[in-house]
Amino acid sequence: MWSSLKTLWTIFLHIFRRRETIQYPEQRPSIPPRWRGRIVLTRDPDGAERCVACYLCAAACPPDCISLQATEDEHGRRYPAFFRINFSRCIFCGYCEEACPTYAIQLTPDFEMGEYQRHNLVYEKEDLLINGPGKYPGYNFYRVAGLAIGGKGKGEAENEAPPTDPRSLMP
Amino acid sequence: MEVMRRVTIFVDGRPHSVLDDQNLLQACLSAGLDLPYFCWHPALGSVGACRQCAVKLFRDASDRRGRIVMACMTPAADSTRISIDDAEAREFRARVIEWLMINHPHDCPVCDEGGECHLQDMTVMTGHVRRRYRGLKRTFENQDLGPFINHEMNRCIQCYRCVRFYRDFAGDRDFDAFSLRNQVYFGRQQDGTLESEFSGNLVEVCPTGVFTDKSFKEHYTRKWDLQTAPSICVHCGLGCNTIPGERYGLLRRIRNRYNGEVNGYFLCDRGRYGYGFVNGAQRIRAPLLRRELGGPAAPVERQEALARIAAWMADGARVVAIGSPRASLEANFALRALVGPAHFYGGMSAAESRLTALIAQILQRGPAPAASLQEAAEADAVLVLGEDVTNSAPMLALSLRQAVRRQPMAAARGIPPWDDHAMRQVTQGQRGPLFLATLAATRLEDVARETLRAAPADIARLGFAVAHALDADAPSADVDAPAHALAGRIAAALLAAGQPLVVAGMSCGSEDMIRAAADVAWALRRAGRPARLAFVVPECDSLGAALMTDRNPGLPQDGADLLLVMENDLYRRADTDTVDSLLGSARHVVLIDHTAHATAAAADAVLPAATFAEATGTLVNNEGRAQRYFRVFAAAGDVQESWRWIHDIAAAAGRTRDAPWTRLDDVTAACATAIPPLRRIVEAAPGAAFRIAGQKIPREPPRYSGRTAMHAQVDVDEPKPPDDPDTPLAFSMEGYAGRPPSPLIPYFWSPGWNSVQAVNKFQEEIAGPLAGGDPGVRLMAPSSGTAPPAYFREVPPAFARRDGHWLAVPLHHIFGSDELSTRSPPVASLAAQPYAALNPDDAAELGLNGGDLLHVQLRGISHRLPLRFEPALPKGLLGLPAGMDGLAGIPLPDWVRVAKAEAP
């Protein structure tokens, strides 16, 4: 009896406390920028796809929900022919972002991904690719890598000497 | 040869028992310890160039200071005390890797070696994690090295393994190290396709991503994403062990699977790049049925196709079946059981049947046993009769190169064989005795002591003359004086050898040559030398098919009511007229095969068979070794193993008891019981019931990715992995995680060792057999005590030119002569095109110029072929490319007429 009255009293006191409930969706919650929500594929500052299809995100993924296939353009630049994330399996752990050597895959504060059909949670590359660099504006992997691609020959990356001439014996 | 002893070395205070013919690096790796290295390779030896395997060597137990030595350059003597863990040695190794990484580009994410890179593994092992160097990185331009190898020179760490393999081991000259200092460049003098038939091995020899697989790049997948299984190469008769890898239903690449007795660490380019036919557009993917006479064959439901075939078989119809030397023993046996041995044909041409039967008889009878590739590499005198081994059995050519390279090493006392540089200084490029008697020039001539180019009969006669020179009881060949003198020199060299080897084979189509080779080996045996024979056979199960079909040689005379053809293009077995009339005489023709060809076009019903990558079975290689290959992936749709189709046909026809088997083990066991020479094939690998700790062995590595996304675009619910009732392997990443028995190793991987170098962890001793023994079982192992049988005495008459006629002989090509590999795009791009080769003198006699077209009259059919000058071809011979479309079925050698054709 005493316990019930005490409970009623406690609940009554809550009427005068500050409200924690947010009137979602009318009222938007404040999500920190490093929130691990919907995954996107970003572009480098030149507007080209950042993903080089290295498969590291897929390897890091605990529920194995990322699958892709690498291909190359005619100049040797590697990119994914397809890139698929099955969000019905994704646990939003962020390991893919951590594994990504090119800042291509990033998690965003968007969490509004509810669907009535599970297969609508299977995102292909066109669903994932955004038009900007995301959280890391400056980075361009191919400017650092030694691989030659269209528009960047050997020795033209950052911190690279011009290509050596194997026929020269000059010091 | 010195006998190996076991000695005890102390590593970080703990005793390890190792072999005394090893160096300390080998010894540490054999003992299961991790020690980083780059320039050392178990097949190439030590040069001490990279300084990565530094260890601390102590004088004795009381020595506390010690000194740093290179483990790969220090012999493992008894009571040697070393430390891998010593702080100074660790520091030394960390510094070395930091130097090596100074110019290494920031490429790993886009590098095909990533994830199976020895440089990555060693960098992690030494603990180098942060780049301190802030200067400019040196760069290189790449070269186009042809359709097999991608070149990315920036990644090079200058370990020299590639040149040592390419030049010293494989003996080719068009690849070298250029320039100097930190700018040493590995490549060709100019862009161009690498000439070596073994160039693909650079991919596995290179510790980093300078040389990567160009065909793999087309559909690149990381090693951890490939589903793999132990397999056997199907592109020649040697039976090299391979690891094919699959992803998303596509066969992606072939890698070497170490087998100490067969292919060791290497593969040829035909085997490595010939897999394209599995993914090819010409694959048969669904049952096809011709509904009306003369109409096209159209895809049908499997039940309809089977019901129709069953109807054709009903009511006492006469059924004749043709098996195949490129199908597994199990498939051939099931077919044989369905129609009965009296109506079963092995699927070889009449000549092939005779030759394989002769080879099988010689090897079974003894006392000269077949030589494995490893034994061939250990031979110290070699006679090759008629075979252009580089093109007909490429890996045997690599073994023979090792034989001539190793023979002088025996005389270099006090220098261990692994001390590569010192050994080269001592041997000074001397070579062991290799005698070649071939139809035309071959790629082995640069290491041969003497070379004879002659017609098939004259090569056989040389063989008989050698046998006669060895043993006066052997038949006398009565050859001319130069040949007699040559025979004398060959006989003397073979007699002086400890392990002589005689190589012959089927590629000249000559029984006399095989008999002559046997006579030489037997004469050596009579003289007390442990001579071995290596016979080259053309296909992956030639010898198995020969052991199975002793009753019916060649092809059947008529096709009866129903002709069942399995995994065979008959137009490659006989000339067009013969095959046309055989197929025409059958009321119905059924083909079970995986790839469309001329016979498929003529069949009334075609059933889609599984290729080697989608099936499990047993093959018998040229030395009579039965080896099991395993399904790499489950084929989509109706594609299934040939023996399962035969079971389904039997069931549909109400004759299940003729082919009652539903599991592979039962077919194998029935085959072993029914055919005595094959009784040991069940021992080739553990059966389907084999488990370790109650678990199957996973085909997928533990880090296989994308399991819940790879099918999601079709169905978001993941499908159940396919069952595999035939093998102890699972289509899964789950299962026994330890080291499986040697015939079941699906991939080489060990913690910390992601590259191919992980094979070290699977061997009993480095470069020795795999733990538990190398896979495969030799079916023909005659006891060496057997007395040699009576000599073959039919010496053929000497070759004589005929007026107006030319003896057409087959010339083999590594790329082009094999049926299946030629359907792989990179191989096809290098494949030889049809030609007719003549000695320039003969051509001048006929008034022919280079580039002329020739009319070659073969079996009544005229072929227009461009002329090619072949100065090495003896006069009176006409060389035709073996196994090419349109020419494949014509039995050679044969006399032909030649005329100049007008340009079209």
Side-chain angles (χ1 to χ4, degrees):
Chain A
M1 180 67 192
W2 173 239
S3 160
S4 298
L5 287 173
K6 193 178 155 194
T7 309
L8 279 170
W9 177 244
T10 310
I11 289 167
F12 175 77
L13 283 182
H14 272 286
I15 291 170
F16 308 102
R17 295 263 176 87
R18 200 169 69 83
R19 283 191 185 181
E20 296 290 351
T21 309
I22 294 169
Q23 292 305 314
Y24 178 83
E26 287 75 27
Q27 193 186 347
R28 312 298 297 180
S30 148
I31 305 285
R34 290 201 296 178
W35 177 271
R36 298 195 308 266
R38 179 170 58 89
I39 298 169
V40 294
L41 288 176
T42 60
R43 292 176 186 274
D44 61 31
D46 303 336
E49 263 177 66
R50 253 184 186 155
C51 175
V52 299
C54 71
Y55 296 96
L56 285 181
C57 52
C61 181
D64 288 345
C65 73
I66 302 177
S67 122
L68 67 151
Q69 174 59 51
T71 188
E72 271 175 17
D73 72 7
E74 66 274 25
H75 303 295
R77 183 184 173 117
R78 194 163 276 194
Y79 66 97
F82 75 83
F83 194 106
R84 186 182 306 128
I85 300 182
N86 179 357
F87 279 110
S88 77
R89 288 285 187 189
C90 180
I91 56 170
F92 300 95
C93 62
Y95 284 8
C96 49
E97 181 172 3
E98 209 166 294
C100 183
T102 68
Y103 294 136
I105 195 164
Q106 296 180 15
L107 277 74
T108 64
D110 178 16
F111 59 90
E112 294 165 311
M113 299 182 68
E115 294 283 354
Y116 289 103
Q117 299 287 331
R118 219 184 122 198
H119 63 79
N120 289 340
L121 284 166
V122 178
Y123 281 37
E124 298 289 339
K125 191 170 101 177
E126 30 303 1
D127 309 319
L128 297 164
L129 202 60
I130 63 164
N131 265 336
K135 288 177 265 186
Y136 306 95
Y139 189 70
N140 184 338
F141 169 76
Y142 281 111
R143 281 192 208 146
V144 186
L147 205 71
I149 54 160
K152 192 205 83 176
K154 290 286 171 197
E156 295 173 10
E158 289 170 16
N159 264 348
E160 274 190 354
T164 58
D165 176 8
R167 288 184 172 72
S168 160
L169 290 178
M170 296 303 285
Chain B
M1 206 170 236
E2 288 162 42
V3 186
M4 290 174 283
R5 284 183 311 129
R6 286 219 157 259
V7 295
T8 304
I9 62 167
F10 297 87
V11 182
D12 293 313
R14 276 182 296 278
H16 294 277
S17 168
V18 300
L19 294 175
D20 74 339
D21 70 333
Q22 298 183 329
N23 56 55
L24 282 177
L25 172 58
Q26 257 178 313
C28 289
L29 294 169
S30 290
L33 304 167
D34 287 346
L35 182 56
Y37 62 87
F38 287 112
C39 68
W40 173 81
H41 184 287
L44 305 178
S46 314
V47 288
C50 72
R51 319 311 281 173
Q52 188 59 64
C53 61
V55 292
K56 203 60 146 332
L57 176 70
F58 299 100
R59 204 167 51 246
D60 49 43
S62 63
D63 183 2
R64 291 273 171 269
R65 266 183 78 202
R67 62 194 170 98
I68 283 187
V69 296
M70 296 308 128
C72 75
M73 298 301 287
T74 314
D78 200 17
S79 320
T80 306
R81 292 176 178 275
I82 57 167
S83 170
I84 297 175
D85 247 351
D86 178 84
E88 204 182 349
R90 291 172 69 101
E91 173 76 7
F92 187 98
R93 295 196 297 264
R95 287 279 181 276
V96 169
I97 203 120
E98 195 172 359
W99 301 327
L100 292 176
M101 292 295 288
I102 271 183
N103 288 309
H104 198 70
H106 189 68
D107 267 3
C108 294
V110 288
C111 176
D112 287 1
E113 195 84 355
E116 50 181 327
C117 177
H118 189 59
L119 180 59
Q120 279 180 342
D121 289 348
M122 297 301 103
T123 309
V124 172
M125 197 178 282
T126 33
H128 172 60
V129 290
R130 199 157 297 278
R131 171 180 287 272
R132 293 190 293 168
Y133 175 69
R134 289 286 171 263
L136 296 181
K137 293 182 187 180
R138 63 114 172 77
T139 60
F140 294 107
E141 297 287 357
N142 300 327
Q143 287 182 331
D144 180 2
L145 299 178
F148 295 150
I149 299 288
N150 188 65
H151 192 218
E152 186 61 44
M153 194 48 212
N154 279 357
R155 298 170 187 157
C156 184
I157 56 163
Q158 275 79 20
C159 72
Y160 281 73
R161 266 190 184 189
C162 52
V163 213
R164 288 167 61 216
F165 170 77
Y166 201 91
R167 296 179 70 90
D168 301 347
F169 198 87
D172 259 288
R173 287 283 164 267
D174 66 315
F175 177 93
D176 210 340
F178 299 96
S179 201
L180 75 177
R181 306 189 317 270
N182 68 335
Q183 299 180 356
V184 176
Y185 189 91
F186 297 92
R188 285 169 51 90
Q189 191 267 335
Q190 58 185 24
D191 284 18
T193 303
L194 290 169
E195 284 166 16
S196 173
E197 293 79 9
F198 309 99
S199 64
N201 294 304
L202 291 179
V203 175
E204 292 184 41
V205 166
C206 178
T208 177
V210 177
F211 303 101
T212 51
D213 184 334
K214 211 180 232 181
S215 75
F216 187 38
K217 206 176 164 68
E218 303 282 312
H219 36 235
Y220 181 68
T221 302
R222 294 269 177 225
K223 180 185 182 180
W224 63 71
D225 280 343
L226 288 170
Q227 179 163 263
T228 50
S231 191
I232 305 293
C233 181
V234 296
H235 299 297
C236 84
L238 294 177
C240 295
N241 291 202
T242 60
I243 299 181
E246 175 268 355
R247 176 87 175 167
Y248 304 141
L250 214 61
L251 191 63
R252 305 267 165 160
R253 73 162 178 197
I254 304 282
R255 277 265 163 145
N256 175 59
R257 177 162 65 100
Y258 181 85
N259 183 327
E261 288 180 55
V262 187
N263 49 310
Y265 291 91
F266 304 113
L267 287 180
C268 75
D269 288 354
R270 185 200 273 181
R272 187 181 298 269
Y273 297 102
Y275 65 89
F277 74 95
V278 176
N279 308 325
Q282 287 156 313
R283 271 302 293 278
I284 302 164
R285 304 269 182 194
L288 306 171
L289 194 62
R290 195 189 308 281
R291 287 220 168 79
E292 66 219 46
L293 204 65
V300 293
E301 291 293 314
R302 58 180 284 147
Q303 289 314 325
E304 187 185 345
L306 286 170
R308 191 68 72 88
I309 295 165
W312 295 337
M313 281 177 77
D315 304 330
R318 286 194 311 127
V319 186
V320 168
I322 302 179
S324 170
R326 68 165 159 88
S328 67
L329 286 177
E330 287 84 354
N332 277 316
F333 177 74
L335 191 62
R336 180 180 183 264
L338 177 69
V339 298
H343 305 292
F344 175 74
Y345 293 79
M348 291 185 272
S349 70
E352 285 173 324
S353 300
R354 277 200 315 275
L355 293 163
T356 48
L358 180 61
I359 289 173
Q361 177 205 333
I362 291 169
L363 293 183
Q364 281 176 302
R365 170 66 182 76
S372 68
L373 285 177
Q374 179 57 35
E375 286 158 348
E378 284 163 8
D380 48 4
V382 184
L383 169 63
V384 179
L385 289 178
E387 281 295 322
D388 176 4
V389 278
T390 317
N391 286 301
S392 58
M395 282 299 290
L396 182 57
L398 197 60
S399 282
L400 296 186
R401 281 189 183 275
Q402 303 328 305
V404 295
R405 201 170 65 101
R406 285 182 193 173
Q407 192 268 352
M409 293 185 187
R413 294 248 166 256
I415 297 176
W418 48 259
D419 195 347
D420 189 48
H421 188 72
M423 192 54 99
R424 267 184 287 152
Q425 293 295 318
V426 170
T427 56
Q428 287 289 315
Q430 292 175 60
R431 298 193 187 97
L434 166 67
F435 298 94
L436 296 174
T438 51
L439 298 174
T442 67
R443 297 263 284 141
L444 269 181
E445 281 176 15
D446 58 329
V447 292
R449 180 166 291 179
E450 290 194 62
T451 303
L452 174 77
R453 292 146 182 174
D458 291 341
I459 296 174
R461 288 168 63 80
L462 174 74
F464 282 112
V466 172
H468 185 72
L470 286 164
D471 181 0
D473 287 347
S476 160
D478 226 7
V479 291
D480 57 14
H484 183 78
L486 175 61
R489 293 194 295 275
I490 296 173
L494 291 174
L495 212 51
Q499 290 167 298
L501 172 72
V502 186
V503 180
M506 291 169 61
S507 59
C508 295
S510 161
E511 282 166 280
D512 296 325
M513 250 182 240
I514 292 170
R515 293 199 184 105
D519 273 8
V520 175
W522 291 341
L524 284 166
R525 283 270 163 183
R526 283 220 167 88
R529 300 296 181 281
R532 289 182 175 271
L533 282 162
F535 286 119
V536 176
V537 298
E539 281 162 282
C540 58
D541 198 32
S542 289
L543 225 47
L547 293 174
M548 195 171 295
T549 46
D550 40 359
R551 294 179 68 152
N552 296 326
L555 297 178
Q557 293 304 312
D558 79 303
D561 292 326
L562 176 63
L563 181 64
L564 263 173
V565 185
M566 184 190 71
E567 299 190 37
N568 209 334
D569 180 6
L570 300 183
Y571 288 94
R572 295 181 68 87
R573 307 292 173 187
D575 57 273
T576 312
D577 286 349
T578 312
V579 180
D580 281 346
S581 78
L582 169 62
L583 294 173
S585 70
R587 284 184 60 197
H588 300 287
V589 177
V590 173
L591 173 75
I592 306 171
D593 207 345
H594 45 73
T595 305
H597 44 62
T599 309
D604 300 305
V606 181
L607 299 174
T611 62
F612 75 96
E614 299 140 352
T616 306
T618 313
L619 299 172
V620 180
N621 77 351
N622 72 320
E623 42 152 343
R625 182 188 302 271
Q627 303 186 101
R628 187 81 35 86
Y629 63 97
F630 293 87
R631 272 169 104 183
V632 177
F633 63 108
D638 288 326
V639 175
Q640 63 177 0
E641 295 94 330
S642 297
W643 65 266
R644 284 214 153 87
W645 279 119
I646 292 157
H647 168 79
D648 290 350
I649 291 172
R655 290 169 50 181
T656 312
R657 73 191 146 72
D658 288 335
W661 314 288
T662 53
R663 287 181 315 166
L664 183 83
D665 281 354
D666 300 336
V667 195
T668 315
C671 179
T673 315
I675 301 165
L678 299 177
R679 70 182 174 282
R680 293 189 62 206
I681 58 171
V682 286
E683 300 163 34
F690 178 83
R691 296 287 183 278
I692 306 178
Q695 291 179 301
K696 280 195 159 200
I697 294 146
R699 283 182 172 87
E700 297 164 3
R703 200 39 269 163
Y704 192 78
S705 80
R707 195 169 39 86
T708 64
M710 57 203 286
H711 306 287
Q713 85 282 19
V714 180
D715 184 359
V716 76
D717 296 315
E718 288 89 39
K720 176 176 175 290
D723 278 332
D724 188 358
D726 297 330
T727 77
L729 299 161
F731 292 108
S732 168
M733 57 208 268
E734 287 164 22
Y736 181 69
R739 193 173 64 190
S742 64
L744 298 177
I745 298 170
Y747 49 86
F748 291 113
W749 180 83
S750 184
W753 297 77
N754 301 294
S755 74
V756 283
Q757 319 284 333
V759 67
N760 292 340
K761 302 284 178 186
F762 290 76
Q763 294 164 331
E764 258 166 32
E765 296 291 338
I766 301 303
L770 289 170
D774 284 316
V777 49
R778 284 177 103 150
L779 303 175
M780 298 190 268
S783 72
S784 52
T786 324
Y791 288 114
F792 291 114
R793 298 210 158 263
E794 311 89 59
V795 180
F799 172 72
R801 294 182 66 174
R802 286 192 203 168
D803 239 11
H805 285 76
W806 306 86
L807 185 65
V809 292
L811 299 181
H812 285 258
H813 294 274
I814 178 171
F815 308 126
S817 294
D818 170 57
E819 179 185 3
L820 297 176
S821 64
T822 314
R823 292 169 192 261
S824 189
V827 171
S829 71
L830 293 183
Q833 298 304 311
Y835 63 83
L838 276 178
N839 187 301
D841 294 347
D842 282 0
E845 227 170 84
L846 285 168
L848 296 168
N849 298 313
D852 279 354
L853 283 176
L854 289 189
H855 269 309
V856 180
Q857 284 282 336
L858 274 166
R859 302 257 157 161
I861 296 173
S862 179
H863 296 265
R864 280 166 73 96
L865 297 165
L867 173 67
R868 176 191 286 191
F869 289 140
E870 196 69 62
L873 198 64
K875 288 189 190 180
L877 300 190
L878 175 88
L880 293 176
M884 271 175 216
D885 281 345
L887 296 169
I890 299 154
L892 296 176
D894 197 3
W895 290 96
V896 298
R897 283 179 163 281
V898 174
K900 185 176 173 177
E902 293 312 315

